[in-house]
C-alpha cells in the first residue's frame, strides 16, 4: 500500500503526508476485514488519493467494482477530470493493467433522446402563458437540440452554460417515466443506458449521494454490483438522502399529473383530479405555512380527494399497447406522475396518524414568497434505511474534513444508523459497546445486536499548523444577534475587520437578507470592491473574488461549501451568527422533539450538531494550503458565552483563540502588510 501510495502521490505532484498514509492503511484494513470506517481528514490531507489507491487496488485484485459517491459536482469533476486519469496512468505499471473508471448519475441527469425527438411536453403549460418564458424557454430548448448533436455523454453537467430546470425537463425523464431500453425506439442510443453500460465494466464508478440514496431505496439496483462504497463529503449524506426521500404535493404538480392522465384515460376522470388539485390549492392558500402535526379537516379532505382522484385515473388507464411506442410513452408518463401524486398523498395522510412520539415522517406546508404553497413529507430519520440498505452487505468508507462534532463521531454515526461507541473519540477505534444501542434500535426497530454494523472512527488530523496559522476571534463584546437584521454594532465590527484586513474577506451570513443588508451598508463604508451572492452566478463571483486580492465576497450558507480560494485573497472569514436551524424549520424541530421524547438532548443532538457542522465547514474556508494565514471572526458572542459554545468550538479547527478585537485587527493588519510585501510572482 505504501509503495502504491508513493507512486500515486508522485504522479499527482504532491508530497507524502502522514495523515494520508494512515488513512490509506485504514481504508485497506476496512476493505480486508469487511468493516466500515469513518475517517475525518482535514483539509490538505489528500484524502481522495488515500481512499482511491486502496479502492482501486481492491477493485483490480478482486475484479470487482468500487463506488465513490460525492455530494458536490466540484468534487465529482476533480475526481473524474483530474485525480482518476492521472492515477490510472501512474498505477498501470504496479497493478499490471490500467484501472478504469466511469461516472454514473440518475436518469434525470441525462438527455433523453426519445423525449427530444417526440417533442417537448406541455406539463408546464402555465409557464407558457408568460411570453418571456416562451421565448427564453424556446431559446434554451433550441440550444439543447444543438447540443444533442455534439454531446457524447448527454450529461447535463457538461452543458456550459447550463439551462433552467424547466428547459431541462423538456428533454429528460425520470426513472419512472423512462420507457425502458427494450421498448424505447431510442433505447439503442440512449445516453443513460450507455452510462450504465459503461459503469458496469469499470473498476471505479463515481456517482452522487442522490443516486446512492435512490439505489438504496428502490427495489431494483441502479448501481453496478459492488462490495465497497466510499462516501466522500459524508457530512452531507443524511441531508441528501432526506431530500431524495422527501415527497411534495402542490396544485401545479397535481395539474400536471391530470394533464398527463387526460391523454391516457377518460378526460372526465382526469378533470376530477384537476379539480381535486384546485381544491387542495385553495385550502393550502388558507393554511399557515408551518409543520403540521395534524391536518385540519379541510386539508385532510383535500389530500384524500387528490389521492382518490389519482387512484381513479390509474384505474381508468387501459392496458399497455406494446405495439405502439407513442401510446406506451403517454401511458408511462401518466402513470409516473399519478403514482407520485398518489403515493405522496398516501404518505402525508399516514404520517399524521400515529401518536406524535411514534411518528416516522414529518409533514409541513411551505409558502415561499411569490410561489404557490405546497405540502411536503419527509422521513424523521434515514438512519434505519442507511443501516439496512447501505451498511448491510458491503464495506462503507465515510470521509470528510468534518465528521466529529464536539470531538466525537457519535452525532453523525447516529444519523447514519451506526451503533455509537460508548467512549468514542478521534483516533479511537474499536467495536460498538453492546450496552449503547443506537436510538433507532432503542425505539424498537429490528436489528439484533449481532447484526449491527461494525465500524471504527479515525481522525487523521490535518497537515496544517492551525494554532500558528489561524486565529479564532469571537466578538464577545457584541450583543447577541437579534431577529431584526444586523445591529449597527455588527456592521461597525465588520467594517473595522475588513479595513484591517485590507479587503480579502469572505463574509458568511445566516440569511440572504442579512448578507444584502451588510453588503449595502458596507459598500458605503469600505473602499474595496464588494461582491454579494445573487449579483451573478456563484461560480463567477468566486472567480472574481479569487482574481482580485482586495475584493470581498458576502453570501449565505450555500457559499460555504463552494469556496476554495488559497492565498492572500482570503485572509478573513466572517460569520455573523451561529447557524442554528430556524426555530420554525419543520424537519429540525420535529427531529429535536423526537430526540427529547426519547430522553435525549434534542437541542444538542439536532440544532447544535447542525450548527457545528456548518460552522466547521465555514471556518474551513480560511486555510486551504499550509502557507495560508488568517482570522475566522465569529461575531455571535454566544460562541464564547453560551454553555453549548464549548461543543461548537471543539468542532472547529484548533485555531489560536481570542476575544480581543484589537488583537484580531492587529493580526489582520500584519497579514495585509505581509501580503503587500510579497509580489504575486514570488508566492
Ligand atoms: S430508454 Fe428511457 S431515457 Fe433512454 S431514450 Fe428511451 S425513454 Fe429516454
Amino acid at each position: 500500500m505504501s509503495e502504491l501510495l508513493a507512486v500515486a502521490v508522485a504522479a499527482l505532484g504532491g508530497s507524502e503526508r502522514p495523515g494520508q498514509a494512515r488513512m490509506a492503511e485504514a481504508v485497506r484494513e476496512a476493505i480486508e476485514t469487511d468493516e466500515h470506517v469513518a475517517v475525518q481528514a482535514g483539509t490538505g490531507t489528500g484524502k481522495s488519493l488515500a481512499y482511491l489507491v486502496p479502492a482501486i487496488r481492491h477493485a483490480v485484485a478482486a475484479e470487482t467494482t468500487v463506488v465513490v459517491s460525492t455530494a458536490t459536482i466540484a468534487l465529482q469533476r476533480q475526481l473524474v477530470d483530474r485525480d482518476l486519469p492521472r492515477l490510472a496512468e501512474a498505477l498501470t505499471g504496479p497493478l499490471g493493467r490500467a484501472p478504469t473508471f466511469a461516472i454514473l448519475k440518475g436518469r434525470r441527469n441525462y438527455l433523453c433522446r426519445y423525449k427530444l425527438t417526440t417533442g417537448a411536453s406541455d406539463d408546464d403549460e402555465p409557464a407558457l402563458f408568460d411570453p418571456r418564458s416562451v421565448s427564453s424557454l424556446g431559446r434554451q430548448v433550441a440550444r439543447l437540440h444543438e447540443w444533442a448533436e455534439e454531446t457524447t455523454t448527454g450529461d447535463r453537467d457538461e452543458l456550459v452554460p447550463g439551462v433552467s430546470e424547466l428547459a431541462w425537463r423538456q428533454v429528460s425523464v425520470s426513472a419512472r417515466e423512462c420507457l425502458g431500453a427494450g421498448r424505447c425506439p431510442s433505447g439503442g442510443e440512449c445516453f443513460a443506458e450507455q452510462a450504465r453500460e459503461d459503469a458496469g465494466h469499470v473498476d471505479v464508478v463515481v456517482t452522487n449521494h442522490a443516486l446512492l440514496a435512490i439505489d438504496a431505496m428502490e427495489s431494483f439496483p441502479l448501481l453496478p454490483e459492488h462490495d465497497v462504497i466510499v462516501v466522500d463529503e459524508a457530512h452531507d449524506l443524511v441531508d441528501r438522502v432526506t431530500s431524495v426521500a422527501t415527497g411534495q404535493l402542490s396544485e401545479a404538480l397535481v395539474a400536471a399529473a391530470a394533464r398527463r392522465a387526460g391523454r391516457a384515460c377518460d378526460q372526465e376522470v382526469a378533470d376530477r383530479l384537476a379539480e381535486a388539485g384546485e381544491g387542495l390549492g385553495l385550502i393550502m392558500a388558507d393554511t399557515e405555512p408551518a409543520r403540521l402535526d395534524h391536518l385540519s379537516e379541510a386539508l385532510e379532505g383535500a389530500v384524500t380527494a387528490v389521492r382518490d382522484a389519482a387512484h381513479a385515473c390509474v384505474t381508468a388507464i387501459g392496458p399497455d399497447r406494446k405495439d405502439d411506442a407513442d401510446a406506451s410513452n403517454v401511458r408511462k408518463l401518466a402513470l409516473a406522475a399519478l403514482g407520485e401524486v398518489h403515493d405522496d398523498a398516501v404518505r402525508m395522510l399516514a404520517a399524521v396518524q400515529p401518536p406524535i412520539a411514534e411518528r416516522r415522517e414529518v409533514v409541513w406546508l411551505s409558502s415561499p414568497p411569490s410561489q404557490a404553497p405546497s405540502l411536503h413529507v419527509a422521513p424523521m430519520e434515514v438512519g434505519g434505511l442507511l443501516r439496512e440498505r447501505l451498511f448491510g452487505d458491503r464495506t462503507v468508507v465515510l470521509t470528510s474534513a468534518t465528521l466529529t462534532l464536539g470531538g466525537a463521531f457519535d452525532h453523525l454515526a447516529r444519523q447514519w444508523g451506526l451503533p455509537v461507541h460508548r467512549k468514542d473519540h478521534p483516533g479511537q477505534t474499536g467495536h460498538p459497546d453492546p450496552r449503547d444501542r443506537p436510538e433507532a434500535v432503542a425505539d424498537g426497530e429490528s436489528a439484533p445486536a449481532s447484526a449491527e454494523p461494525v465500524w471504527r472512527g479515525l481522525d487523521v488530523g490535518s497537515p496544517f499548523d492551525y494554532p500558528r496559522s489561524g486565529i479564532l476571534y469571537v466578538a464577545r463584546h457584541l450583543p447577541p444577534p437579534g431577529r431584526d437584521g444586523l445591529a449597527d454594532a455588527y456592521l461597525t465590527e465588520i467594517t473595522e475587520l475588513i479595513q484591517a484586513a485590507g479587503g480579502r474577506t469572505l463574509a458568511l451570513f445566516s440569511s440572504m437578507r442579512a448578507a444584502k443588508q451588510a453588503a449595502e451598508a458596507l459598500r458605503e463604508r469600505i473602499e474595496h470592491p464588494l461582491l454579494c451572492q445573487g449579483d451573478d452566478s456563484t461560480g463567477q463571483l468566486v472567480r472574481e473574488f479569487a482574481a482580485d486580492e482586495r475584493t470581498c465576497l458576502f453570501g449565505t450558507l450555500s457559499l460555504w461549501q463552494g469556496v476554495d480560494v488559497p492565498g492572500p485573497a482570503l485572509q478573513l472569514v466572517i460569520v455573523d451568527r451561529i447557524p442554528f436551524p430556524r426555530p420554525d424549520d419543520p424537519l429540525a424541530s420535529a427531529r429535536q422533539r423526537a430526540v427529547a421524547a426519547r430522553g435525549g438532548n434534542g437541542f444538542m443532538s439536532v440544532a447544535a450538531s447542525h450548527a457545528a457542522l456548518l460552522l466547521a465547514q465555514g471556518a474551513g474556508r480560511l486555510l486551504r494550503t499550509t502557507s495560508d494565514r488568517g482570522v475566522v471572526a465569529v461575531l455571535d458572542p454566544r460562541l464564547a458565552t453560551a454553555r453549548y459554545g464549548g461543543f461548537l468550538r471543539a468542532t472547529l479547527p484548533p485555531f489560536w483563540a481570542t476575544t480581543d478585537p484589537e488583537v484580531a485587527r492587529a493580526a489582520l493588519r500584519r497579514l495585509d502588510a505581509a501580503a503587500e510585501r510579497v509580489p504575486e510572482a514570488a508566492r
Side-chain angles (χ1 to χ4, degrees):
M1 178 54 60
S2 57
E3 278 170 30
L4 279 183
L5 188 62
V7 170
V9 168
L12 270 82
S15 53
E16 285 198 33
R17 286 160 271 193
Q20 188 180 48
R22 276 181 73 202
M23 178 171 172
E25 198 48 44
V27 174
R28 180 198 62 77
E29 198 183 314
I31 293 172
E32 284 174 10
T33 55
D34 288 336
E35 294 184 0
H36 310 298
V37 65
V39 187
Q40 174 164 282
T43 317
T45 306
K47 67 176 158 45
S48 54
L49 282 198
Y51 62 71
L52 284 175
V53 171
I56 289 174
R57 175 177 177 261
H58 168 71
V60 171
E63 293 187 3
T64 181
T65 299
V66 168
V67 171
V68 176
S69 179
T70 74
T72 61
I73 292 172
L75 180 57
Q76 210 166 68
R77 282 188 177 268
Q78 182 201 309
L79 292 175
V80 175
D81 298 343
R82 202 192 71 182
D83 296 353
L84 280 164
R86 291 199 243 171
L87 252 183
E89 205 182 322
L91 297 183
T92 300
L95 292 178
R97 72 164 171 83
T100 51
F101 56 90
I103 194 161
L104 183 62
K105 302 174 186 179
R107 196 161 290 258
R108 181 65 91 189
N109 292 276
Y110 297 96
L111 192 80
C112 167
R113 286 201 194 268
Y114 182 68
K115 197 157 179 187
L116 194 77
T117 49
T118 50
S121 81
D122 57 357
D123 297 341
D124 301 296
E125 246 170 32
L128 303 181
F129 286 118
D130 178 351
R132 286 162 308 170
S133 302
V134 174
S135 54
S136 146
L137 188 66
R139 273 198 305 275
Q140 293 186 59
V141 173
R143 240 188 85 217
L144 283 165
H145 277 265
E146 280 169 30
W147 179 66
E149 296 294 316
E150 58 200 54
T151 175
T152 54
T153 63
D155 180 346
R156 182 181 181 178
D157 292 330
E158 291 184 10
L159 178 67
V160 181
V163 291
S164 68
E165 186 59 29
L166 189 58
W168 184 254
R169 281 186 176 268
Q170 313 304 310
V171 297
S172 65
V173 292
S174 67
R176 271 194 189 199
E177 295 164 350
C178 167
L179 283 178
R183 297 173 50 203
C184 171
S186 307
E189 44 175 5
C190 169
F191 290 120
E193 290 297 325
Q194 188 57 49
R196 278 197 73 186
E197 168 78 14
D198 292 349
H201 301 113
V202 296
D203 299 310
V204 180
V205 170
V206 179
T207 187
N208 52 38
H209 294 355
L211 188 65
L212 200 63
I214 299 170
D215 187 64
M217 281 166 12
E218 296 289 353
S219 48
F220 49 90
L222 296 168
L223 292 166
E225 206 168 306
H226 56 277
D227 60 357
V228 175
I229 288 188
V230 179
V231 183
D232 200 341
E233 301 179 313
H235 59 274
D236 245 356
L237 181 66
V238 166
D239 279 355
R240 302 284 167 135
V241 175
T242 304
S243 89
V244 167
T246 299
Q248 188 183 351
L249 269 187
S250 67
E251 186 180 339
L253 282 170
V254 179
R259 277 195 298 279
R260 286 185 179 188
R263 280 177 239 129
C265 74
D266 188 346
Q267 188 62 46
E268 256 183 56
V269 184
D271 286 346
R272 281 203 285 279
L273 176 60
E275 282 162 24
E278 284 166 24
L280 177 66
L282 287 174
I283 307 280
M284 287 195 294
D286 265 351
T287 308
E288 277 295 305
R291 188 185 73 218
L292 303 175
D293 288 336
H294 304 281
L295 299 184
S296 66
E297 209 175 303
L299 199 52
E300 186 178 348
V303 176
T304 306
V306 166
R307 178 198 67 188
D308 294 346
H311 186 260
C313 290
V314 171
T315 313
I317 290 177
D320 194 7
R321 293 197 31 211
K322 295 193 168 46
D323 55 331
D324 183 343
D326 286 345
S328 186
N329 182 35
V330 165
R331 182 176 180 277
K332 184 106 190 186
L333 289 175
L335 287 177
L338 291 167
E340 270 171 39
V341 164
H342 175 266
D343 294 355
D344 288 340
V346 168
R347 270 176 77 187
M348 286 169 191
L349 293 167
V352 294
Q353 295 306 320
I356 283 179
E358 292 167 24
R359 296 220 176 144
R360 294 186 173 241
E361 301 227 90
V362 186
V363 179
W364 73 93
L365 184 114
S366 74
S367 186
S370 69
Q371 282 181 39
S374 53
L375 276 174
H376 305 258
V377 58
M380 193 90 82
E381 299 179 333
V382 295
L385 171 81
L386 293 176
R387 187 176 66 236
E388 193 185 319
R389 308 298 296 266
L390 185 69
F391 295 102
D393 51 5
R394 53 173 85 80
T395 295
V396 182
V397 175
L398 301 132
T399 186
S400 165
T402 316
L403 290 185
T404 65
L405 302 182
F409 286 97
D410 303 16
H411 295 271
L412 287 177
R414 257 192 212 103
Q415 293 180 13
W416 297 326
L418 289 175
V420 173
H421 298 143
R422 185 158 289 277
K423 283 199 169 55
D424 183 21
H425 61 76
Q428 167 101 16
T429 62
H431 295 259
D433 185 324
R435 288 170 302 172
D436 198 356
R437 308 187 60 200
E439 286 167 11
V441 175
D443 275 352
E445 278 189 19
S446 60
S450 59
E452 281 179 351
V454 177
W455 69 285
R456 58 186 289 221
L458 175 69
D459 183 356
V460 298
S462 159
F464 298 165
D465 186 350
Y466 282 105
R468 285 173 178 273
S469 307
I471 293 176
L472 171 65
Y473 160 57
V474 183
R476 192 190 172 114
H477 61 282
L478 287 179
R483 287 172 176 223
D484 306 318
L486 291 169
D488 218 40
Y490 276 60
L491 295 171
T492 306
E493 184 79 26
I494 296 172
T495 309
E496 289 172 355
L497 286 165
I498 291 180
Q499 277 168 343
R504 315 176 192 280
T505 301
L506 173 67
L508 300 168
F509 296 86
S510 51
S511 72
M512 200 60 214
R513 198 169 129 234
K516 286 198 165 143
Q517 183 199 349
E520 204 170 298
L522 269 284
R523 278 189 177 122
E524 291 175 5
R525 300 184 190 189
I526 60 169
E527 69 274 22
H528 309 297
L530 198 162
L531 306 167
C532 187
Q533 195 177 357
D535 291 351
D536 204 331
S537 74
T538 301
Q540 181 58 26
L541 290 175
V542 174
R543 278 191 288 280
E544 283 180 40
F545 171 62
D548 175 15
E549 288 183 6
R550 296 210 174 272
T551 295
C552 301
L553 176 57
F554 285 20
T556 60
L557 300 179
S558 61
L559 260 188
W560 291 37
Q561 292 199 342
V563 182
D564 184 3
V565 178
L570 175 44
Q571 293 189 334
L572 171 61
V573 173
I574 296 177
V575 177
D576 72 326
R577 67 191 295 163
I578 298 170
F580 292 122
R582 289 166 55 105
D584 58 0
D585 181 307
L587 206 43
S589 62
R591 285 175 170 166
Q592 206 162 312
R593 183 177 61 183
V595 174
R598 290 197 295 261
N601 185 330
F603 172 76
M604 291 305 289
S605 292
V606 180
S609 296
H610 172 93
L613 199 55
L614 284 173
L615 258 188
Q617 292 286 315
R621 302 305 102 199
L622 183 69
L623 306 182
R624 308 305 295 173
T625 68
T626 45
S627 57
D628 285 353
R629 303 283 180 271
V631 174
V632 172
V634 179
L635 308 187
D636 189 334
R638 295 173 298 175
L639 187 62
T641 58
R643 264 198 301 160
Y644 51 75
F647 170 79
L648 298 178
R649 289 196 304 277
T651 307
L652 294 176
F655 297 118
W656 186 84
T658 181
T659 54
D660 185 337
E662 190 38 48
V663 170
R665 289 195 294 261
L668 287 167
R669 279 193 289 271
R670 282 196 300 278
L671 287 171
D672 179 40
E676 270 297 275
R677 278 197 304 274
V678 182
E680 208 163 318
R683 283 182 202 134

